[in-house]
Amino acid sequence: MARIAFILLVHKDPRGVIDQARRLTASGDFVAIHYDRSAPPEHDTAIREALGGNSRVTFAARRLKCGWGEWSLVAATLEALQAAEQAFPQASHFYLLSGDCMPIKSAEYARAFLDAEDCDYIETCDFFESDWIKTGIREERLVYRHWFNERSQKALFYASMNWQKRLGLRRGLPEGLQMMIGSQWWCLRRQTVEAVLDLIRSRPQLIRFFKTTWIPDETFFQTLVAHVVPKNRIRSSSPTFLMFTDYGMPVTFYNDHYDLLLRQNFLFARKISAEALQLRARLGEIWQAKGVDFPISAEGPRLFTFLTGRGRIGRRFAPRFWEAESSLGRARVVHLIVAKKWHIAKRLTARIRETTPIPAVDYIFNEIDAGLPDMGGVASTVDKRQRHRRALVRLLFEQFESRHLVLCLDPSALSLISDFANDRAEVRILFIDTVFDDDYLRGHMGRVGLIAATTPDEVVRRLAPVVRDDLDHEAELLRDMGFARFETITPDAPQDRNAVSLQRFLEVSPEIAQDLAATSHLFAD
């Protein structure tokens, strides 16, 4: 009978990690945990104290700081995999999971599923011939060395790659390997895991190669497993149910997806929303169930394709299966910084990112480069962001894994502000009220196209009072909208008063609020 050692890659929610490990080991299986070293050390301590007495739980020998697209994800997987392989000789299979994964079948069903065929479950598609990569660089992932992260060090990432192209530093692929690509999530037999570990011990150059490839978690195990296992012993699919939106982002599942998930021909699913407490509780119970019949319809991907396709043929605003709730979510808090002087708002968001855990972005509906993480196609143009404003902000909440989000809006964007204010989410507004001198007005008129560099000074002087009136009117309209949570800071107010407004706006400590209010040159032009 199959005995599973689960490899847990987790970086948050220590309570959820403990619950997941207890649930999986209660059925007689095993768990090896790698808890990201970027997380607070007290979280790791809590997990180890809670699970230390469980003989079916082990921990990776080293904790690594993991970054999306980096070798560190593969290295963390190897650390936990090696720990599990040594600690649990009874384990017949090794199943990679994340903290966002939940079972959608019982342990009884999973064992019968794995016992039915002597094979490995890992997606392995030809790297060069398949269309697995939909957007972005392709062979450049492999033939050039990548030392920088494309998400957090975009300029260095592309500069490094372009220099290698110019200098002809294209490298060859590892000898004797057919490069494969596929989903990060797999379930491998013990003999396969042992063969892969033996291979990398005998050929250390493989580690050196994959360390500098881009997104190696999609190629490392996929390539090596296909090298050591006959093709007829590989089922080229992940045992974990996951889908991606049109914008390349993982589909998140909520409470009303319970029945759909159980009907899919998979053992686990990701990503389960952290807010879907009812779904998580019900799926947790499923793993322990006995004698449950699971009718398989596997309609999830087809249904998703159909329903999102309705949007492409003119029915964009028809109710969608995946977006029955257009709200951002009642439990979420949107912090809107409304400021005409963008440079002041950006100084404040930069300081918020430095001093608080609250994610903060800039003028995402006005500028392409506004501090966004990699969001796929949804963020490709400003117009697209405005059309899909709530979808974008929902994705940001999920990407940052936070119930709070700070973003900046121009006072002229009253329709956007009103739209967010009418959402079920809690919306707080911080208005940065500033004075507009003649130099600022001239610059503003140039930016909006009212004047050019050659416009006579006399024309500029005649326009200035009209433009100042317009800016003052924008501010008055904003105040007249009567928002329940509306705060103001101004360069004329004492620092302590601005700090009180910032404290109420962000719900931070008085000390942090004072620090933010004291931001160097905050109101300087």
Side-chain angles (χ1 to χ4, degrees):
M1 182 178 70
R3 302 282 296 280
I4 308 170
F6 291 97
I7 311 302
L8 286 189
L9 293 188
V10 286
H11 66 279
K12 60 176 182 176
D13 188 16
R15 182 70 257 170
V17 175
I18 294 166
D19 291 343
Q20 190 177 40
R22 285 174 174 166
R23 176 170 54 249
L24 296 174
T25 56
S27 60
D29 295 301
F30 310 97
V31 170
I33 299 173
H34 178 276
Y35 196 72
D36 198 317
R37 195 158 63 88
S38 300
E42 58 268 24
H43 289 184
D44 181 63
T45 301
I47 293 170
R48 289 176 183 268
E49 288 178 352
L51 300 173
N54 190 331
S55 62
R56 296 181 185 276
V57 175
T58 192
F59 295 88
R62 294 188 304 153
R63 288 177 61 211
L64 307 174
K65 289 185 177 180
C66 297
W68 187 91
E70 297 177 4
W71 167 255
S72 53
L73 281 174
V74 179
T77 304
L78 286 171
E79 288 288 336
L81 186 61
Q82 289 166 338
E85 189 257 344
Q86 295 169 14
F88 309 126
Q90 314 96 309
S92 61
H93 293 76
F94 296 81
Y95 195 132
L96 182 62
L97 293 176
S98 77
D100 292 324
C101 295
M102 290 291 291
I104 56 175
K105 298 292 185 293
S106 64
E108 181 182 71
Y109 181 100
R111 292 195 185 96
F113 179 89
L114 296 176
D115 285 337
E117 285 194 89
D118 184 21
C119 63
D120 299 298
Y121 293 89
I122 180 170
E123 190 174 26
T124 53
C125 305
D126 187 283
F127 187 94
F128 297 100
E129 298 299 327
S130 72
D131 63 348
W132 200 89
I133 299 174
K134 303 298 183 186
T135 60
I137 61 174
R138 191 182 184 93
E139 69 170 352
E140 292 90 343
R141 290 189 185 193
L142 305 177
V143 299
Y144 298 112
R145 296 168 178 85
H146 300 281
W147 298 283
F148 304 102
N149 190 296
E150 195 267 348
R151 285 190 169 184
S152 59
Q153 302 165 297
K154 185 173 294 232
L156 290 171
F157 179 92
Y158 286 105
S160 168
M161 186 171 68
N162 290 333
W163 272 109
Q164 290 178 73
K165 288 181 180 180
R166 291 175 186 173
L167 296 173
L169 298 180
R170 182 187 179 99
R171 62 177 174 178
L173 304 180
E175 185 179 353
L177 289 188
Q178 179 184 2
M179 298 304 300
M180 309 297 282
I181 190 168
S183 168
Q184 173 187 1
W185 312 104
W186 42 252
C187 180
L188 305 176
R189 297 167 297 165
R190 172 173 283 277
Q191 60 264 41
T192 300
V193 168
E194 292 172 345
V196 168
L197 295 178
D198 287 342
L199 177 63
I200 60 179
R201 280 192 287 264
S202 65
R203 295 181 61 181
Q205 66 271 27
L206 295 178
I207 296 288
R208 289 197 295 272
F209 174 82
F210 282 101
K211 270 187 176 181
T212 52
T213 62
W214 180 234
I215 320 183
D217 53 289
E218 294 178 351
T219 55
F220 179 81
F221 286 100
Q222 296 77 1
T223 298
L224 300 192
V225 168
H227 184 72
V228 300
V229 176
K231 188 174 182 179
N232 64 352
R233 292 297 182 191
I234 298 176
R235 299 296 171 264
S236 186
S237 63
S238 170
T240 297
F241 181 54
L242 70 161
M243 296 189 301
F244 291 88
T245 69
D246 294 350
Y247 307 120
M249 302 299 294
V251 171
T252 301
F253 298 107
Y254 297 92
N255 290 333
D256 56 346
H257 294 142
Y258 175 80
D259 292 325
L260 173 94
L261 291 174
L262 264 58
R263 294 195 300 268
Q264 306 314 305
N265 194 23
F266 296 86
L267 306 181
F268 283 74
R270 79 177 304 267
K271 319 171 50 161
I272 309 300
S273 170
E275 298 173 6
L277 300 181
Q278 181 185 6
L279 178 61
R280 285 178 169 266
R282 295 179 74 186
L283 293 178
E285 293 171 0
I286 280 292
W287 184 250
Q288 309 297 337
K290 302 288 184 183
V292 178
D293 182 35
F294 293 93
I296 303 299
S297 59
E299 84 285 15
R302 294 194 304 274
L303 185 59
F304 180 71
T305 300
F306 168 72
L307 290 166
T308 53
R310 288 161 64 92
R312 301 191 193 99
I313 57 173
R315 300 179 69 178
R316 175 67 182 86
F317 298 103
R320 289 187 177 192
F321 181 84
W322 304 101
E323 294 183 16
E325 271 296 346
S326 61
S327 168
L328 301 177
R330 199 180 297 276
R332 288 170 170 161
V333 183
V334 184
H335 305 260
L336 300 179
I337 297 177
V338 182
K340 179 57 72 175
K341 293 187 176 181
W342 293 6
H343 55 283
I344 298 178
K346 290 179 182 180
R347 287 189 196 122
L348 184 55
T349 55
R351 194 68 183 138
I352 289 170
R353 289 190 290 269
E354 290 173 4
T355 59
T356 80
I358 303 173
V361 294
D362 299 329
Y363 288 83
I364 60 175
F365 299 110
N366 300 92
E367 299 178 302
I368 287 294
D369 185 12
L372 281 176
D374 184 6
M375 300 293 293
V378 73
S380 59
T381 67
V382 168
D383 286 343
K384 194 171 186 179
R385 293 180 194 175
Q386 291 180 356
R387 288 197 307 272
H388 304 295
R389 62 189 70 165
R390 294 199 188 189
L392 171 62
V393 175
R394 282 176 68 96
L395 287 174
L396 279 171
F397 274 112
E398 293 169 5
Q399 188 84 345
F400 285 121
E401 298 174 342
S402 171
R403 62 181 291 267
H404 293 264
L405 175 66
V406 175
L407 57 91
C408 301
L409 293 177
D410 190 279
S412 63
L414 290 176
S415 62
L416 272 174
I417 297 168
S418 178
D419 188 33
F420 285 122
N422 290 327
D423 194 272
R424 293 179 184 172
E426 180 181 346
V427 175
R428 303 176 190 174
I429 293 176
L430 177 71
F431 177 49
I432 301 179
D433 192 6
T434 50
V435 175
F436 307 113
D437 60 23
D438 290 342
D439 286 339
Y440 176 84
L441 289 175
R442 185 178 191 115
H444 175 69
M445 287 187 280
R447 287 189 291 274
V448 299
L450 282 177
I451 62 171
T454 56
T455 302
D457 288 342
E458 182 183 353
V459 174
V460 175
R461 284 195 297 272
R462 286 205 306 267
L463 281 174
V466 178
V467 173
R468 180 179 279 108
D469 226 20
D470 186 62
L471 298 181
D472 290 341
H473 184 59
E474 282 179 358
E476 286 305 308
L477 287 176
L478 181 68
R479 292 187 181 96
D480 290 343
M481 292 175 79
F483 299 109
R485 300 293 299 268
F486 186 91
E487 304 292 338
T488 302
I489 61 172
T490 173
D492 297 326
Q495 182 176 305
D496 287 348
R497 187 186 302 169
N498 285 340
V500 171
S501 295
L502 287 164
Q503 183 182 356
R504 287 196 294 252
F505 174 65
L506 294 170
E507 278 189 356
V508 293
S509 68
E511 294 78 13
I512 291 177
Q514 283 286 349
D515 191 353
L516 292 171
T519 297
S520 180
H521 308 295
L522 176 60
F523 296 101
D525 287 330

